Amino acid sequence: MSAAMTAVPEAPAIAPVSPRRPLAMVAIAVFLGGLFTWLAPAGQVTTFIFNLGQQFFEIPDWSVNSRTAAAAFALIAVLAALAAWPLHMRRRSVLWPSAIMGAALIMSFLSWVASDESLPVTGLLQGSLLLAVPLVFGAMAGVLCERSGVININIEGQLLAGAFMGAVIGSLTVNVYLGLLAAPLAGALIGVLLATFATRYFVDQVVVGVVLNVLVIGLTGFLYSRFLSEDPDRWNNPPRLPNITIPVLSEIPVVGPVMFEQNLIVYLMYVTVILVQLGLFSTRWGLRVRAVGEHPDAAASVGIRVNSVRFRTVVLGAAVAGLGGAFFTLGSVGAFGREMTAGNGFIALAAVIFGRWTPLGSLGAALLFGFAYNLQNVLSIIGSPIPSQFLLMAPYLVTLIAVVGLVGKVRAPAADGIPFRKSA
Amino acid sequence: MQLQLRGMTKSFGDLVANDDISVTIEAGQIHALLGENGAGKSTLMNILYGLLRPDSGEILVDGSPVAFGSPADAIKVGIGMVHQHFMLVPVFTVAQNVELGDERVGPLGFLRTSEAEEAVREVSQRFGLEVDPAAIVEDLPVGIQQRVEIIKALTRDASCLILDEPTAVLTPQETDELLAIIRGLRDSGKSIVLITHKLREVREAADVITVIRRGRVVATAIPPSTSETELAALMVGREVSLTVDRGTSSPEAQTLQVRGLTVYDAADRVVVDDVSFDVRAGEILCIAGVQGNGQTELVEAIMGLQDRVVGEIHVGGTVTSHPETRRMLALGVGYVPEDREEDGLVSTFSLAQNLVLDTISTSRWSRYGIVDYARIDAGARELLAQFDVRARDAYVTAGTLSGGNKQKVVLARELSRDLTVLIAAQPTRGLDVGSIEFVHRRLIEVRDSGVAVLIVSTELDEVCALADRILVMYQGRVAGIVGRDSPRDDLGMLMAGVVPA
């Protein structure tokens, strides 16, 4: 009988690929690269400095003609964009060409704006990492919560609570490590509120998150003016975390000073990212968290208690954000200031989405945003031809472009933001 | 394992879903629970699986009472469930889905992937359920996904397996395969509970049949001695005819023509692939096929409800290449959507409002933008009577009606306009037998009044009962267009993408 049958031909499973994306990449590379080359003064020299502190060997400073360098990097950017074309048409990932194009455009840009100046590259990267620290912690908090199916728009509040408690406990006890312990506890406390409303009373998670942000801003603001600014020596004078230099590693040129001459919180950040990545994708705990965020009914049908998994994951995430908040008061600034997190929590949320809800992707996104922040700082110090108001926009512009333009199609955890109720 | 349910009662508000139900499921038996949608079968099984708690009644396993607080307790005593809507995480692998909740872990809770995959392979070989443990579940066809569900239960050492409407999403061939698997499991000593409303399967596979109607056990039957008609009567509570008096069709001019229609989804996949067909005035063309082979998207594309559509649609003499909903309605196309709760009605609106949703802007119901409620209400009362909608009055909200009455409201609205084409997607899904008869009769009447009727149905029985011609879809393509008298086996093969010689 089977000899008499013919199979219906298999349908081509996919629509024709539109070349819109590589086209846009080439257009952007040509336009921006051309613009930077045109703006870069031909007669001037841009110097890139790589040395910082004591290293195994010194990379000599690199001085080039501004326009030549801008043009060369622009060319690399265009080539990377062109390389993305065939990959995209064959439905391959264009992550690497995009990254190379972005980096080359940034170098082209720097060749222009730092003409006749010296640009401390290593210093720029070091500062970028520091500014990215709260973003990375915030993004890890976001990844954890949203993987379990709870939208965490409350990262900002959790960071702020961590910053506040870190400062206060650190000051009162005159012990920076007790402050460092208090910060995640404060974050977790806010997380308990979020988790309770989200998983027990099924309140809209975005609304609860916003309300909790307002609550933390108001509460810390009130306590700040009532106590911290009244008697700063007692309440708002925490010791700062010392920098720990890791032997050997810290002497690698560029990488060493950027990564291995930092304080404890930065090292905790490395550990956190690795733990979240391994935890989510290689352990039983992670499998259950993801199951609960993707298909809670399926998880419930094999006896997993969905809302309790969500509750614990949200509290854990909030604790991670709280720890990140401590970086503001114990790691960098040294004292608490009103609303000092300044939107970092929301940028962290953007990093979660840009990083496609993966720990490593979000880490990359957070680092990019940190770089945009610091570039603005460095350029205003060395003096650049761009008005400072425009530079202030840079981080947000990068965020916007990244989230809207480069992300492409992203898929959030299927049950993200949807409360889980048993059928009876 | 012998499983006994005694005096199970469960109510939701006023509705008594289970009323003192007692059933005994013996080891090594296929026990079918037969009943219409809403008869209380699923409620009963959810109680047995620990998902719901009964108001009263007890569960006995091998004679001793047990209490289930959650599915974990039910799993522990050896009850496994294959849900109608698969409980599988689409982005996980087969092995991850199978082990979820009972993972194989090393130190620090790290997953042992290869051990988990080996466990799946072992069970799938032992019971002849072939599947690749490393495949991502969302890439698998539904028949295989169902296998994964069965494996999931078997790896948990289920000795009693509950299958909830397992054939709803399967082709006839896949159904046969499944029934063979079920028999194999029974022969290895498992007890099987088969929840279904399909008489054919029940008669084919079950050793014992318990018929449930309105939350009560109305009969226990042994298949060979009870005919399909008898079973249907037990299920519905009165004599039913399983066939529709369809009369003869007298097709005229071609009214709806679809040419080279292709639809892409959001993920760039081709979901409808170069589909062409005609429907003539005065005939019913049924689109058959297993759920998810592009029927939904095809119909939505014709109605202008899909984004990325290529191809031409002719209605009467008018050609459209980019169908737009309002235009299609103006051309006299009536549409009964697949999901009547979501797309067919506004459940918080009154029946009267729902009945004029698409015609509210015409001079019949409003003037200068002011709605004339008196006329709308009068019109609504007339339609509700005409379509036998059982509702207190025209002001009750649509959400409070039963499925059958909701569908009658949708039909009433669509048929209240002058139509040239009627498109009905899954017109009787989830309805009780009485409502199905009503809807079928109406559809035949519409055909006889000279309208071109296009019906999408995944129920082969319905297709055979109504169609003048049958178009079978497979993977977004037309697998074949055949006459109404083609053998069911041929249709089944077409539904599986095989063209019979």
Side-chain angles (χ1 to χ4, degrees), chain A residues 297-391:
Chain A
D297 288 319
S301 77
V302 291
I304 293 171
R305 288 157 62 203
V306 173
N307 281 322
S308 113
V309 170
R310 285 185 172 178
F311 189 97
R312 277 178 279 146
T313 315
V314 169
V315 173
L316 178 68
V320 168
L323 180 60
F327 184 76
F328 288 103
T329 45
L330 305 177
S332 61
V333 180
F336 181 79
R338 208 187 282 263
E339 290 181 49
M340 71 185 308
T341 47
N344 269 269
F346 296 107
I347 303 283
L349 199 62
V352 173
I353 298 166
F354 185 26
R356 301 177 184 220
W357 286 270
T358 64
L360 294 181
S362 309
L363 169 72
L367 290 174
L368 179 69
F369 295 152
F371 179 79
Y373 271 119
N374 198 42
L375 188 60
Q376 160 220 323
N377 292 342
V378 170
L379 291 185
S380 55
I381 291 168
I382 65 169
S384 80
I386 308 173
S388 62
Q389 288 86 346
F390 282 99
L391 284 177

Side-chain angles (χ1 to χ4, degrees), chain B residues 147-407:
Chain B
R147 249 177 235 183
V148 178
E149 280 277 46
I150 296 173
I151 292 172
K152 208 166 117 183
L154 293 174
T155 49
R156 287 168 167 76
D157 291 324
S159 43
C160 172
L161 202 59
I162 306 167
L163 297 112
D164 190 2
E165 299 283 358
T167 59
V169 290
L170 302 184
T171 62
Q173 275 80 5
E174 284 175 320
T175 302
D176 289 345
E177 275 172 41
L178 176 74
L179 293 182
I181 288 170
I182 290 176
R183 283 191 205 101
L185 291 172
R186 171 198 56 195
D187 296 341
S188 68
K190 313 259 181 215
S191 23
I192 310 278
V193 181
L194 192 64
I195 304 175
T196 185
H197 66 275
K198 294 192 181 170
L199 303 169
R200 191 186 306 266
E201 291 158 25
V202 163
R203 293 234 322 138
E204 228 169 85
D207 299 313
V208 186
I209 302 171
T210 298
V211 186
I212 295 178
R213 187 171 76 229
R214 295 204 187 139
R216 288 171 168 275
V217 174
V218 290
T220 303
I222 308 292
S225 60
T226 321
S227 73
E228 272 186 41
T229 331
E230 282 171 297
L231 284 174
L234 285 169
M235 194 163 93
V236 181
R238 61 183 169 80
E239 288 300 317
V240 284
S241 79
L242 294 173
T243 51
V244 193
D245 178 19
R246 52 189 313 289
T248 51
S249 69
S250 44
E252 297 157 32
Q254 289 174 352
T255 304
L256 174 68
Q257 289 167 282
V258 172
R259 289 286 171 271
L261 198 75
T262 299
V263 181
Y264 304 112
D265 70 0
D268 272 1
R269 283 185 296 255
V270 178
V271 282
V272 176
D273 190 6
D274 193 18
V275 167
S276 303
F277 61 87
D278 302 319
V279 191
R280 287 166 293 179
E283 78 163 349
I284 294 180
L285 177 73
C286 272
I287 300 186
V290 181
Q291 179 87 49
N293 274 286
Q295 307 96 312
T296 307
E297 291 82 1
L298 171 67
V299 167
E300 286 182 351
I302 296 174
M303 289 311 297
L305 296 167
Q306 282 280 337
D307 276 338
R308 298 168 65 193
V309 180
V310 184
E312 274 181 4
I313 293 154
H314 306 232
V315 179
T318 320
V319 187
T320 338
S321 56
H322 289 285
E324 203 253 320
T325 311
R326 186 182 282 262
R327 178 124 187 273
M328 298 309 285
L329 295 178
L331 288 172
V333 182
Y335 177 48
V336 178
E338 184 174 317
D339 187 344
R340 72 185 75 93
E341 318 277 333
E342 280 292 319
D343 305 327
L345 296 166
V346 181
S347 46
T348 53
F349 278 17
S350 74
L351 300 184
Q353 287 167 331
N354 269 296
L355 284 167
V356 295
L357 275 185
D358 51 348
T359 47
I360 186 76
S361 54
T362 62
S363 58
R364 219 163 120 207
W365 309 124
S366 61
R367 194 161 299 171
Y368 312 118
I370 308 292
V371 174
D372 184 349
Y373 274 108
R375 282 171 85 176
I376 290 177
D377 292 340
R381 271 193 295 277
E382 198 179 307
L383 276 176
L384 294 179
Q386 204 181 325
F387 280 80
D388 190 29
V389 178
R390 314 263 168 89
R392 203 173 61 242
D393 52 44
Y395 309 114
V396 298
T397 56
T400 59
L401 296 187
S402 72
N405 281 313
K406 280 180 185 161
Q407 191 70 321

